[in-house]
Amino acid sequence: MTRKAFVIGHPINHSRSPVIHGEWLVQNAIAGSYEAIDVAPADLPAFFERLRRGEFAGGNVTIPHKEAVFSLCDAIDPLAKVIGAVNTLVVTDGAVHGSNTDYLGFLGNLDAGAPGWDQSGRPVIVLGAGGAARAVLVALRSRGMAVHLLNRTGATAERLAEQIDGAIAPGVLEDFNSLAPQAGLVVNTTSVGMHGTRFAGLDLALLPGDALVTDIVYVPLVTPLLADARALGLNTVDGLGMLLHQAVPGFEAWFGVRPEVTPSLRAAIEATLEHAP
Ligand code: NAP
Protein backbone atom coordinates (compact mmCIF):
# COMPACT_ATOMS: atom_id res chain seq x y z
CA MET A 1 0.00 0.00 0.00
CA THR A 2 1.30 3.49 -0.86
CA ARG A 3 2.00 5.39 2.33
CA LYS A 4 0.80 8.98 2.37
CA ALA A 5 1.93 11.97 4.44
CA PHE A 6 1.04 15.67 4.46
CA VAL A 7 1.67 19.12 5.82
CA ILE A 8 -1.42 21.01 6.97
CA GLY A 9 -1.60 24.77 7.45
CA HIS A 10 -3.69 27.76 6.43
CA PRO A 11 -2.42 29.10 4.07
CA ILE A 12 0.00 26.35 3.08
CA ASN A 13 1.65 27.34 -0.19
CA HIS A 14 4.68 28.86 1.59
CA SER A 15 5.73 25.51 3.11
CA ARG A 16 9.04 24.03 2.00
CA SER A 17 8.24 20.64 3.55
CA PRO A 18 6.85 19.16 0.28
CA VAL A 19 10.21 19.86 -1.40
CA ILE A 20 12.17 18.24 1.46
CA HIS A 21 10.04 15.10 1.71
CA GLY A 22 9.56 14.90 -2.07
CA GLU A 23 13.37 14.81 -2.51
CA TRP A 24 13.69 12.06 0.11
CA LEU A 25 10.92 9.96 -1.47
CA VAL A 26 12.83 10.08 -4.78
CA GLN A 27 16.29 9.57 -3.21
CA ASN A 28 15.05 6.50 -1.33
CA ALA A 29 12.90 5.18 -4.23
CA ILE A 30 9.81 5.06 -1.98
CA ALA A 31 6.42 4.84 -3.68
CA GLY A 32 4.84 7.23 -1.18
CA SER A 33 3.39 10.72 -1.30
CA TYR A 34 3.71 13.95 0.69
CA GLU A 35 1.17 16.64 -0.07
CA ALA A 36 0.45 20.16 1.18
CA ILE A 37 -3.16 20.42 2.33
CA ASP A 38 -4.86 23.70 3.20
CA VAL A 39 -7.01 23.04 6.27
CA ALA A 40 -8.96 25.98 7.69
CA PRO A 41 -9.13 26.07 11.53
CA ALA A 42 -12.82 25.11 11.52
CA ASP A 43 -12.04 21.99 9.46
CA LEU A 44 -9.30 20.65 11.75
CA PRO A 45 -11.55 18.20 13.73
CA ALA A 46 -12.86 16.69 10.46
CA PHE A 47 -9.29 16.32 9.20
CA PHE A 48 -8.40 14.40 12.39
CA GLU A 49 -11.29 12.02 11.66
CA ARG A 50 -9.70 11.31 8.27
CA LEU A 51 -6.43 10.60 10.10
CA ARG A 52 -8.07 8.16 12.53
CA ARG A 53 -9.63 6.31 9.60
CA GLY A 54 -6.07 5.58 8.41
CA GLU A 55 -5.91 7.67 5.25
CA PHE A 56 -2.39 8.89 6.11
CA ALA A 57 0.67 7.55 7.97
CA GLY A 58 1.04 11.04 9.44
CA GLY A 59 2.28 14.48 8.58
CA ASN A 60 3.47 17.91 9.60
CA VAL A 61 1.54 20.75 11.18
CA THR A 62 2.34 24.39 10.55
CA ILE A 63 0.87 27.84 11.25
CA PRO A 64 -1.83 28.39 12.52
CA HIS A 65 -2.46 24.83 13.81
CA LYS A 66 0.63 24.10 15.95
CA GLU A 67 -1.19 24.78 19.24
CA ALA A 68 -4.75 23.86 18.20
CA VAL A 69 -3.85 20.22 17.51
CA PHE A 70 -2.98 19.66 21.20
CA SER A 71 -6.63 19.06 22.07
CA LEU A 72 -7.22 16.82 19.03
CA CYS A 73 -4.27 14.40 19.40
CA ASP A 74 -4.77 11.11 21.28
CA ALA A 75 -1.29 11.36 22.82
CA ILE A 76 1.30 14.14 23.05
CA ASP A 77 5.03 13.83 23.58
CA PRO A 78 5.94 15.53 26.91
CA LEU A 79 8.62 17.69 25.25
CA ALA A 80 6.05 19.04 22.78
CA LYS A 81 4.11 20.23 25.84
CA VAL A 82 7.18 22.04 27.17
CA ILE A 83 7.87 23.56 23.73
CA GLY A 84 4.19 24.49 23.48
CA ALA A 85 3.72 23.41 19.86
CA VAL A 86 3.19 20.22 17.83
CA ASN A 87 4.79 20.03 14.38
CA THR A 88 4.65 16.27 13.66
CA LEU A 89 1.79 13.77 13.73
CA VAL A 90 2.14 9.98 13.50
CA VAL A 91 -0.92 7.75 13.15
CA THR A 92 -0.72 4.28 14.72
CA ASP A 93 -3.70 1.93 14.88
CA GLY A 94 -6.15 4.81 14.51
CA ALA A 95 -4.53 6.94 17.22
CA VAL A 96 -2.82 10.25 16.45
CA HIS A 97 0.43 10.97 18.32
CA GLY A 98 1.75 14.55 18.33
CA SER A 99 5.37 15.59 18.88
CA ASN A 100 7.74 18.48 18.22
CA THR A 101 10.92 17.79 16.24
CA ASP A 102 12.31 21.35 16.15
CA TYR A 103 14.67 20.66 19.06
CA LEU A 104 16.03 17.60 17.24
CA GLY A 105 16.44 19.76 14.14
CA PHE A 106 18.48 22.27 16.14
CA LEU A 107 20.70 19.51 17.57
CA GLY A 108 21.05 17.69 14.24
CA ASN A 109 22.13 20.91 12.53
CA LEU A 110 24.88 21.68 15.07
CA ASP A 111 26.03 18.05 15.32
CA ALA A 112 26.46 17.99 11.52
CA GLY A 113 27.86 21.52 11.11
CA ALA A 114 30.09 21.79 14.20
CA PRO A 115 30.79 18.31 15.66
CA GLY A 116 31.77 18.50 19.37
CA TRP A 117 30.01 21.88 19.77
CA ASP A 118 28.54 20.70 23.10
CA GLN A 119 31.92 19.76 24.62
CA SER A 120 33.34 23.24 25.34
CA GLY A 121 32.16 23.24 28.96
CA ARG A 122 31.31 26.92 28.54
CA PRO A 123 27.84 28.50 28.81
CA VAL A 124 25.59 29.27 25.85
CA ILE A 125 24.09 32.70 25.17
CA VAL A 126 20.59 32.40 23.69
CA LEU A 127 19.20 35.61 22.17
CA GLY A 128 15.40 35.75 22.21
CA ALA A 129 12.62 34.24 24.32
CA GLY A 130 9.80 33.70 21.79
CA GLY A 131 8.27 30.50 20.45
CA ALA A 132 11.38 29.22 18.68
CA ALA A 133 13.54 29.79 21.78
CA ARG A 134 11.56 27.09 23.62
CA ALA A 135 12.72 24.34 21.27
CA VAL A 136 16.30 25.64 21.40
CA LEU A 137 16.28 25.68 25.22
CA VAL A 138 14.89 22.12 25.38
CA ALA A 139 17.66 21.06 22.97
CA LEU A 140 20.45 22.75 24.94
CA ARG A 141 19.19 21.40 28.27
CA SER A 142 19.02 17.86 26.79
CA ARG A 143 22.82 18.16 26.34
CA GLY A 144 23.24 19.58 29.86
CA MET A 145 24.36 23.02 28.66
CA ALA A 146 24.15 26.03 31.01
CA VAL A 147 22.31 28.91 29.33
CA HIS A 148 22.10 32.69 29.59
CA LEU A 149 18.72 33.60 28.08
CA LEU A 150 18.84 37.23 26.91
CA ASN A 151 15.79 38.99 25.52
CA ARG A 152 14.85 42.55 24.52
CA THR A 153 12.01 42.29 27.06
CA GLY A 154 13.63 40.94 30.23
CA ALA A 155 10.36 39.86 31.88
CA THR A 156 9.66 37.46 28.98
CA ALA A 157 13.06 35.81 29.46
CA GLU A 158 12.37 35.47 33.21
CA ARG A 159 9.01 33.78 32.58
CA LEU A 160 10.45 31.37 30.03
CA ALA A 161 13.46 30.46 32.21
CA GLU A 162 11.04 29.43 34.96
CA GLN A 163 9.19 27.10 32.58
CA ILE A 164 12.21 25.07 31.40
CA ASP A 165 14.06 22.78 33.82
CA GLY A 166 17.66 23.44 34.69
CA ALA A 167 20.38 26.05 34.57
CA ILE A 168 18.87 28.92 32.59
CA ALA A 169 19.76 32.45 33.75
CA PRO A 170 17.50 35.15 32.30
CA GLY A 171 18.72 38.61 31.31
CA VAL A 172 18.49 41.37 28.74
CA LEU A 173 20.37 41.90 25.46
CA GLU A 174 22.50 44.56 27.16
CA ASP A 175 24.08 41.77 29.28
CA PHE A 176 25.69 40.25 26.17
CA ASN A 177 29.00 42.11 26.26
CA SER A 178 29.75 41.17 29.88
CA LEU A 179 28.86 37.48 29.32
CA ALA A 180 30.53 37.09 25.92
CA PRO A 181 34.15 36.43 27.08
CA GLN A 182 33.05 33.21 28.87
CA ALA A 183 30.63 31.90 26.22
CA GLY A 184 31.16 28.88 23.97
CA LEU A 185 28.12 29.30 21.75
CA VAL A 186 25.74 32.11 20.74
CA VAL A 187 22.31 31.24 19.32
CA ASN A 188 20.02 33.83 17.77
CA THR A 189 16.37 32.81 18.09
CA THR A 190 14.92 36.29 17.58
CA SER A 191 13.52 37.51 14.29
CA VAL A 192 16.41 39.99 14.06
CA GLY A 193 18.34 39.12 10.90
CA MET A 194 15.29 38.65 8.72
CA HIS A 195 15.42 41.03 5.78
CA GLY A 196 19.00 41.90 6.72
CA THR A 197 18.23 43.55 10.06
CA ARG A 198 20.94 43.54 12.73
CA PHE A 199 21.39 43.85 16.49
CA ALA A 200 22.72 47.10 17.87
CA GLY A 201 25.32 46.95 20.62
CA LEU A 202 26.39 43.27 20.55
CA ASP A 203 30.19 43.15 20.42
CA LEU A 204 31.05 39.75 18.95
CA ALA A 205 34.76 40.56 19.20
CA LEU A 206 34.44 39.92 22.96
CA LEU A 207 33.72 36.20 22.32
CA PRO A 208 36.57 33.67 22.66
CA GLY A 209 38.21 32.93 19.30
CA ASP A 210 36.89 29.34 19.25
CA ALA A 211 33.26 30.31 20.03
CA LEU A 212 30.51 29.15 17.66
CA VAL A 213 27.74 31.46 16.45
CA THR A 214 24.50 30.09 15.00
CA ASP A 215 21.31 31.72 13.80
CA ILE A 216 17.98 29.99 13.35
CA VAL A 217 16.84 32.69 10.91
CA TYR A 218 17.64 31.30 7.44
CA VAL A 219 16.29 34.04 5.17
CA PRO A 220 18.81 35.42 4.36
CA LEU A 221 21.02 32.36 4.73
CA VAL A 222 23.92 34.50 5.96
CA THR A 223 22.35 36.92 8.41
CA PRO A 224 24.25 40.08 9.45
CA LEU A 225 25.05 38.30 12.77
CA LEU A 226 26.66 35.38 10.94
CA ALA A 227 28.45 37.68 8.50
CA ASP A 228 29.92 39.71 11.40
CA ALA A 229 30.99 36.50 13.20
CA ARG A 230 32.67 35.15 10.05
CA ALA A 231 34.47 38.45 9.50
CA LEU A 232 35.98 38.00 12.98
CA GLY A 233 37.08 34.43 12.13
CA LEU A 234 34.51 32.79 14.41
CA ASN A 235 32.90 29.44 13.55
CA THR A 236 29.31 29.72 12.28
CA VAL A 237 26.40 27.41 11.41
CA ASP A 238 23.41 28.79 9.50
CA GLY A 239 19.75 28.07 10.28
CA LEU A 240 18.72 26.17 7.15
CA GLY A 241 20.01 22.87 8.52
CA MET A 242 17.58 23.12 11.47
CA LEU A 243 14.66 23.16 9.01
CA LEU A 244 16.11 20.15 7.15
CA HIS A 245 17.02 18.10 10.24
CA GLN A 246 13.65 18.68 11.96
CA ALA A 247 12.07 16.79 9.06
CA VAL A 248 14.12 13.60 9.58
CA PRO A 249 12.14 11.95 12.45
CA GLY A 250 8.78 12.44 10.70
CA PHE A 251 9.92 10.92 7.42
CA GLU A 252 11.42 7.95 9.27
CA ALA A 253 8.19 7.36 11.23
CA TRP A 254 5.91 7.55 8.16
CA PHE A 255 8.04 5.79 5.54
CA GLY A 256 10.32 3.52 7.63
CA VAL A 257 13.63 4.87 6.28
CA ARG A 258 15.88 7.34 8.09
CA PRO A 259 16.64 9.96 5.40
CA GLU A 260 19.89 11.88 5.05
CA VAL A 261 20.37 15.64 4.90
CA THR A 262 22.54 15.71 1.77
CA PRO A 263 24.17 18.65 -0.07
CA SER A 264 21.70 18.12 -2.95
CA LEU A 265 18.71 18.42 -0.58
CA ARG A 266 20.20 21.60 0.84
CA ALA A 267 20.73 22.97 -2.65
CA ALA A 268 17.10 22.22 -3.58
CA ILE A 269 15.83 24.19 -0.59
CA GLU A 270 18.36 26.99 -1.07
CA ALA A 271 16.92 27.44 -4.58
CA THR A 272 13.49 28.08 -3.02
CA LEU A 273 14.97 30.76 -0.71
CA GLU A 274 15.77 32.93 -3.73
CA HIS A 275 12.04 33.48 -4.11
CA ALA A 276 11.42 33.95 -0.35
CA PRO A 277 9.30 36.95 0.63
P1 NAP B 1 8.35 35.11 18.16
O1 NAP B 1 7.69 34.11 19.04
O2 NAP B 1 7.55 36.21 17.57
O3 NAP B 1 9.57 35.74 19.01
C1 NAP B 1 10.29 36.81 18.51
C2 NAP B 1 11.53 37.08 19.40
O4 NAP B 1 12.34 38.06 18.72
C3 NAP B 1 11.22 37.63 20.78
O5 NAP B 1 12.19 37.18 21.68
C4 NAP B 1 11.35 39.15 20.54
O6 NAP B 1 11.67 39.87 21.72
C5 NAP B 1 12.53 39.18 19.60
N1 NAP B 1 12.59 40.39 18.78
C6 NAP B 1 11.74 40.78 17.80
N2 NAP B 1 12.15 41.94 17.26
C7 NAP B 1 13.28 42.32 17.94
C8 NAP B 1 14.16 43.43 17.84
N3 NAP B 1 13.98 44.40 16.93
N4 NAP B 1 15.23 43.47 18.65
C9 NAP B 1 15.45 42.49 19.57
N5 NAP B 1 14.64 41.40 19.71
C10 NAP B 1 13.56 41.32 18.90
O7 NAP B 1 9.05 34.40 16.90
P2 NAP B 1 9.55 32.88 16.82
O8 NAP B 1 8.43 32.01 16.40
O9 NAP B 1 10.29 32.56 18.07
O10 NAP B 1 10.56 32.93 15.55
C11 NAP B 1 11.77 33.65 15.60
C12 NAP B 1 12.59 33.39 14.32
O11 NAP B 1 12.99 32.02 14.26
C13 NAP B 1 11.80 33.63 13.03
O12 NAP B 1 12.64 34.37 12.16
C14 NAP B 1 11.58 32.24 12.45
O13 NAP B 1 11.57 32.24 11.02
C15 NAP B 1 12.81 31.51 12.95
N6 NAP B 1 12.63 30.03 13.04
C16 NAP B 1 13.49 29.22 12.36
C17 NAP B 1 13.35 27.84 12.45
C18 NAP B 1 14.29 26.93 11.67
O14 NAP B 1 13.94 25.77 11.43
N7 NAP B 1 15.47 27.38 11.32
C19 NAP B 1 12.34 27.28 13.25
C20 NAP B 1 11.47 28.14 13.94
C21 NAP B 1 11.62 29.52 13.83
P3 NAP B 1 10.53 40.52 22.67
O15 NAP B 1 10.06 39.42 23.59
O16 NAP B 1 11.22 41.63 23.38
O17 NAP B 1 9.42 41.01 21.75
Side-chain angles (χ1 to χ4, degrees):
M1 197 183 72
T2 303
R3 292 178 76 76
K4 291 168 59 180
F6 59 82
V7 55
I8 52 168
H10 184 69
I12 194 57
N13 48 14
H14 66 282
S15 174
R16 295 189 173 87
S17 294
V19 181
I20 299 173
H21 292 283
E23 287 275 326
W24 281 337
L25 286 169
V26 172
Q27 275 175 16
N28 293 284
I30 293 172
S33 70
Y34 185 98
E35 59 184 306
I37 306 176
D38 193 315
V39 177
D43 298 331
L44 210 48
F47 186 78
F48 266 68
E49 283 316 307
R50 283 172 69 185
L51 291 185
R52 292 196 177 87
R53 284 199 298 271
E55 191 177 328
F56 296 96
N60 288 120
V61 179
T62 188
I63 296 165
H65 301 316
K66 286 183 174 197
E67 291 90 29
V69 298
F70 269 95
S71 60
L72 294 166
C73 286
D74 300 295
I76 302 274
D77 186 84
L79 286 179
K81 288 185 188 157
V82 178
I83 295 169
V86 163
N87 72 348
T88 302
L89 303 174
V90 177
V91 186
T92 314
D93 298 330
V96 184
H97 183 266
S99 62
N100 188 305
T101 62
D102 278 342
Y103 81 99
L104 294 172
F106 177 80
L107 293 174
N109 187 32
L110 289 193
D111 287 344
W117 65 273
D118 52 354
Q119 301 301 311
S120 77
R122 298 203 300 266
V124 181
I125 298 177
V126 172
L127 306 171
R134 292 176 162 273
V136 168
L137 292 173
V138 164
L140 293 170
R141 290 301 305 143
S142 77
R143 296 285 173 92
M145 312 292 287
V147 177
H148 294 286
L149 176 61
L150 309 186
N151 196 41
R152 177 176 62 179
T153 311
T156 312
E158 282 170 24
R159 269 200 305 277
L160 182 53
E162 277 168 20
Q163 291 168 20
I164 312 269
D165 281 343
I168 301 176
V172 289
L173 294 175
E174 289 71 20
D175 297 333
F176 181 89
N177 290 349
S178 62
L179 296 168
Q182 295 84 42
L185 168 65
V186 177
V187 186
N188 176 40
T189 77
T190 74
S191 44
V192 177
M194 292 176 83
H195 314 296
T197 52
R198 63 169 69 232
F199 288 100
L202 298 193
D203 188 355
L204 299 182
L206 294 169
L207 291 166
D210 60 350
L212 174 66
V213 178
T214 187
D215 203 322
I216 74 165
V217 171
Y218 57 85
V219 183
L221 206 49
V222 182
T223 59
L225 180 76
L226 293 184
D228 291 350
R230 285 182 191 179
L232 288 164
L234 298 170
N235 256 332
T236 62
V237 173
D238 69 51
L240 182 57
M242 178 173 170
L243 176 75
L244 304 177
H245 283 274
Q246 64 76 29
V248 169
F251 189 94
E252 184 175 22
W254 311 318
F255 299 112
V257 173
R258 188 163 181 85
E260 279 182 43
V261 174
T262 57
S264 71
L265 174 71
R266 211 184 132 89
I269 302 300
E270 272 188 43
T272 73
L273 300 184
E274 287 158 20
H275 315 294

